[in-house]
Amino acid sequence: MNETRTLCEFAAKLSYDKLPQNVIDMAKKCLIDYIGVAAFASQTEMGQIMSKVGKRNNVGSCTILPGTEHKYAPNMAAFVNGTFGHGFELDDINSATATHPGCEICSAAVAMAEECGADGKTLIEAIVVGYEVMVRCIRPFAKHHLDKGFHPTATGGTFGATAACCKVLGLNAAQFENALGIAGTFTSGIKQFTHYGSMSKRLHGGKGGYDGAEIAQLAKEGFTGPSEIFEGKTGFNRVFCDSDYAADFSLLTDGLGEIYAIEDITVKPCPACGVIHSVIDCLDDISKEPGFSKNFDAIEKIVVKSHHNMIGQHMLYEPKTVMQGQYSCPFTVGVYMEGEVRDAKQYLDDGIIKNPAILRWGEKVTAELDEEMDNAFPARFGSKVDVVLADGRTLHAEYPTPKGSGERQFTYDEVENKYMILTQSLFSEAMQKDVASKVRQLEKLENVRDLFVEA
């Protein structure tokens, strides 16, 4: 069976009128979340560099957040905004594949929709298709791909962003297949950044959109790419993992049109790597226990019981950059104990990474492999936490998934409130409300070029 072709046929035929209402609502939720996160990250040092580079290429119809009088080509707008969207560890996640689709898909879909003057319904279709392709192309080998050292947001993002742009352009199934075939030439992204905390990690949210905008236009003009790009003899799902691993290609199409990838998305409440969020949830519960205190001397140790990825990549005791701090479980626990871990603004100050009050908590945080949590990873980012108090008592909490995922999803109002907080100092109050209103009623928007134009 040609799974790639089946996926392309589904993507080409998908229409707004046949989408379930909850899928439409989720597309809007992901879009408003992306806008807030991307606008907020534009303030960072990384964001300023991206804006500077973007302004050298200001020819086109597309907006770079948080919004300027200049307009940009779709590839550059997607590149800059997507990098912003992945720029602060606040972007959404599909846990099953450890991907961050919002930064890749929403940046590319909005940019191409602006370029084409597409309407809101088309943008919703593009977002749904982009999430579908990005998540499904990682599913056949998710854990093995991740353990090999690849960053699935970058590798899968190239395919997803390409698909989103194809949908805006109205390409047929054959053109979709050519485009995804071409995307196989561009896809890349490794996780060496976890050891050094460099800015390159942020680029992984924008490179897919940059490439996808170009790839979709090439396919529209007749440029060809190989068939079976995922399941073929030297296709993506065979090459980007160990040669002795048999990827499950049925996951490329299983439940297609019945269960949508965008339904299984986690929205983050605080700026830390997604695998750490269940630890924060556990601490929230433990902090409500009688006799608990955040006083340093009142706690003997904090034991995090989780999966191998937590232990292998997130127990960073001396982070050197804010990015490494956001990837560090001990550092995040320190931020929790010393203040408000959900306050994104504190991470704008690089001095946080040298705060001795936060760093000292590292000596009390240890990690153990938990078989239950490890077997569920990466489909579930769960953790168990034991806080051993100085008086000898042990307080325990556990969560198989973090708040914002599965049965613990945030409401649309909660996600919109996150957007309002993140854009508070970047958009005028009128602009904030105008963008929020347009996203809530996205299907009524006649031209996406008006999305960031205050009414």
Side-chain angles (χ1 to χ4, degrees), residues 375-398:
N375 288 338
F377 182 82
R380 291 174 176 267
F381 290 176
S383 297
K384 302 174 183 178
V385 175
D386 287 337
V387 176
V388 181
L389 304 182
D391 64 12
R393 289 184 299 143
T394 297
L395 304 179
H396 175 83
E398 59 185 78

Side-chain angles (χ1 to χ4, degrees), residues 74-96:
N75 61 339
M76 184 54 64
F79 183 45
V80 175
N81 288 331
T83 301
F84 289 168
H86 196 47
F88 219 70
E89 294 302 323
L90 273 167
D91 46 332
D92 66 20
I93 314 170
N94 173 260
S95 297

Side-chain angles (χ1 to χ4, degrees), residues 119-135:
D119 62 18
K121 288 183 178 181
T122 300
L123 178 55
I124 290 170
E125 292 173 352
I127 291 172
V128 173
V129 163
Y131 273 70
E132 202 71 26
V133 171
M134 181 172 176
V135 169

